[in-house]
Amino acid sequence: MNRRNFALSWGRKLFFGFSWPLSSLLGLIYLQSFIYPQSASEMFYFAITFIGIYGLLNVVSYFILYCPFVLIFPSYYFCRIWSLFIILLLNLYILSDAYIFSQFRLHINNFIVNLLYQQGIKTFIPSNAGLIFLIVAPIIVSILYWFRGERIWRNMQKRFSNPMGNWYLVVIVLAFGISHLFRLYSSNHITQYTKLFPLSFVLNGNKSDSNSNTQGNLYYPRAEMKCTAKNSKNLLFIVIKGWRGDALSPELTPTLHHYHRHAAVYNNHFSGSADDLGGLFSLFYSLPPTYVGAVLQKHVAPVLVDELRKRKYDFVSLSQGTGAEILATFANELAPKEDIAPMADRWKSWVFDRQNTGITQPFFGMMYFAQNSPVDLARVDKEIESVLMEMFLDHSIQNTAIVITGDQGTSTLDSHTLSLDKVKTPLIVI
């Protein structure tokens, strides 16, 4: 009996008889993101992609990481320890990535790694039960693997199987190939389910779909907003484009700096995206920007707006510079009247018209300021000061909750990679 062939066949049975089912089981955690296949074609695509990708991950681990070392060191104990290390590392990655995706709709990338390094593991696993599970789970897997490997080794010594009769490799290759045929030639949104897998092996084809960013069926909201307050306050959102978390200073932005010291401040506030569309979307929907396509396709308004409609709120939305086309996609009430005129003058004009027509119900106001430089930010600060001063003069500020924040940390487009400075933005509540 050839020792190398024996060790390779033993490892193959572990990688595809133990690790592959374990990887597939952990992959079900991705479904916590509530992105589910609906039609028969979606189910078929999801199933073959599920088989192909998790099978391919184990194929790569076996042939690239396990086989070369076993050919050099065909020792039984080395094979057990080395394969255990590879299998644990692979499945820990899948477990971590699946959990992070189910919470943030992001796979492990440089941004997640930097956030983990700076904020600590409590950012992703706040409960002690989750940390204990993360420690205990690998120990349980190691024990099961060790006894499973011992049993396979002994059975193979009694009857050495033909290493060429491995039908599961054919299944993986076929599933992976058929999945990519769908990817290349499908013209609908079923291929968006590749987002539910740790690694997306994409072969680009000539056929593209302009609606490929859609999410199919949208489960929003999962529950109705419940607000029992009888006396409704006015609400005013002041959103500054590309407002970085460190762009607060008494010299540049004295008004914002004043409220940063005397109002309720959330120092660990993060936008949902590094661009203005995704940032505004996450602000109003409390959803990750991966759902932007589905919302635009289904024309679903934010649940906050629906609640304010029920309460007969008066809506006003003002935009300075840019932003009208972005806000208008969310709800008709948020479609702003874009103008370059001073925001305080436009606000005063709206309040005057409201008083003349005898409107008394509470209002929801939205102001979107564009800025691309420190000079612009200083101008925005003066505009906000003028608006708040007008509210002091007409006493409306006494019954108004004011939220001042940014759509994203920076508006620069020099890189497509995420970083903390691109998503961290101040949040001030007055």
Side-chain angles (χ1 to χ4, degrees), residues 13 31 83 97 128 138 151 154 177 234 315 371-372 388 397 423:
K13 292 183 182 299
L31 295 177
S83 58
D97 187 75
N128 292 330
R151 181 178 178 183
R154 290 180 179 178
N234 302 317
F315 287 84
Q371 63 88 23
N372 296 298
L388 296 183
I397 200 170
V423 292

Side-chain angles (χ1 to χ4, degrees), residues 181-424:
L181 287 176
F182 269 84
R183 180 81 184 188
L184 289 170
Y185 298 108
S186 176
S187 61
N188 56 44
H189 63 269
I190 64 171
T191 55
Q192 54 96 10
Y193 293 107
T194 53
K195 298 175 183 177
L196 291 172
F197 303 105
L199 296 174
S200 181
F201 300 90
V202 178
L203 301 177
N204 293 324
N206 295 326
K207 200 167 190 178
S208 62
D209 179 22
S210 60
N211 295 323
S212 60
N213 192 36
T214 61
Q215 286 286 349
N217 290 347
L218 179 69
Y219 299 93
Y220 174 86
R222 291 183 59 194
E224 293 184 1
M225 175 178 283
K226 296 181 179 180
C227 182
T228 57
K230 295 182 179 179
N231 298 322
S232 299
K233 287 183 175 290
N234 302 317
L235 298 176
L236 176 61
F237 273 67
I238 299 176
V239 182
I240 305 172
K241 180 179 181 179
W243 189 25
R244 292 172 59 113
D246 56 359
L248 271 170
S249 66
E251 297 80 19
L252 182 64
T253 56
T255 303
L256 294 173
H257 185 267
H258 169 78
Y259 285 109
H260 186 267
R261 294 183 58 189
H262 296 92
V265 178
Y266 298 85
N267 293 317
N268 289 320
H269 172 68
F270 294 90
S271 170
S273 178
D275 61 80
D276 45 10
L277 173 59
L280 287 171
F281 174 82
S282 65
L283 178 64
F284 282 101
Y285 285 86
S286 297
L287 290 175
T290 50
Y291 290 98
V292 170
V295 167
L296 297 183
Q297 184 184 39
K298 303 293 185 180
H299 303 289
V300 180
V303 66
L304 171 64
V305 172
D306 285 338
E307 178 64 24
L308 297 180
R309 285 172 179 165
K310 296 177 183 178
R311 292 174 176 265
K312 307 299 183 182
Y313 266 67
D314 188 20
F315 287 84
V316 59
S317 186
L318 307 173
S319 176
Q320 193 171 66
T322 59
E325 70 283 354
I326 296 173
L327 297 174
T329 60
F330 298 150
N332 293 330
E333 292 86 348
L334 297 182
K337 300 175 182 177
E338 191 172 318
D339 199 341
I340 60 173
M343 196 73 81
D345 293 344
R346 296 160 62 192
W347 177 261
K348 186 176 181 179
S349 176
W350 177 80
V351 172
F352 181 79
D353 293 340
R354 175 180 158 91
Q355 292 174 346
N356 280 347
T357 53
I359 299 175
T360 58
Q361 69 256 41
F363 65 80
F364 176 84
M366 168 67 191
M367 294 183 179
Y368 187 71
F369 290 91
Q371 63 88 23
N372 296 298
S373 67
V375 175
D376 286 342
L377 188 57
R379 172 189 56 79
V380 169
D381 185 80
K382 292 181 180 179
E383 291 272 13
I384 293 175
E385 179 185 20
S386 299
V387 170
L388 296 183
M389 183 58 65
E390 288 293 335
M391 296 183 69
F392 270 112
L393 294 177
D394 63 18
H395 306 290
S396 61
I397 200 170
Q398 298 176 2
N399 193 38
T400 304
I402 304 172
V403 178
I404 306 176
T405 187
D407 56 357
Q408 93 290 43
T410 176
S411 59
T412 58
L413 301 176
D414 56 339
S415 174
H416 296 289
T417 59
L418 283 174
S419 59
L420 291 181
D421 65 321
K422 287 187 176 182
V423 292
K424 191 168 185 178

Side-chain angles (χ1 to χ4, degrees), residues 16-92:
F16 300 104
F18 178 79
S19 179
W20 185 18
L22 178 61
S23 302
S24 301
L25 183 64
L26 295 175
L28 297 176
I29 299 176
Y30 287 97
L31 295 177
Q32 287 187 350
S33 62
F34 295 96
I35 302 174
Y36 300 130
Q38 301 296 317
S39 65
S41 59
E42 292 174 1
M43 289 292 295
F44 178 74
Y45 177 81
F46 176 80
I48 60 174
T49 306
F50 191 89
I51 295 171
I53 285 187
Y54 290 111
L56 186 63
L57 287 174
N58 284 277
V59 166
V60 171
S61 300
Y62 173 77
F63 285 104
I64 303 300
L65 300 178
Y66 177 78
C67 290
F69 289 93
V70 171
L71 291 174
I72 301 173
F73 307 103
S75 166
Y76 169 59
Y77 289 104
F78 174 80
C79 294
R80 295 181 74 179
I81 295 174
W82 181 236
S83 58
L84 173 62
F85 174 76
I86 296 173
I87 290 174
L88 274 181
L89 191 65
L90 171 63
N91 288 283
L92 275 176

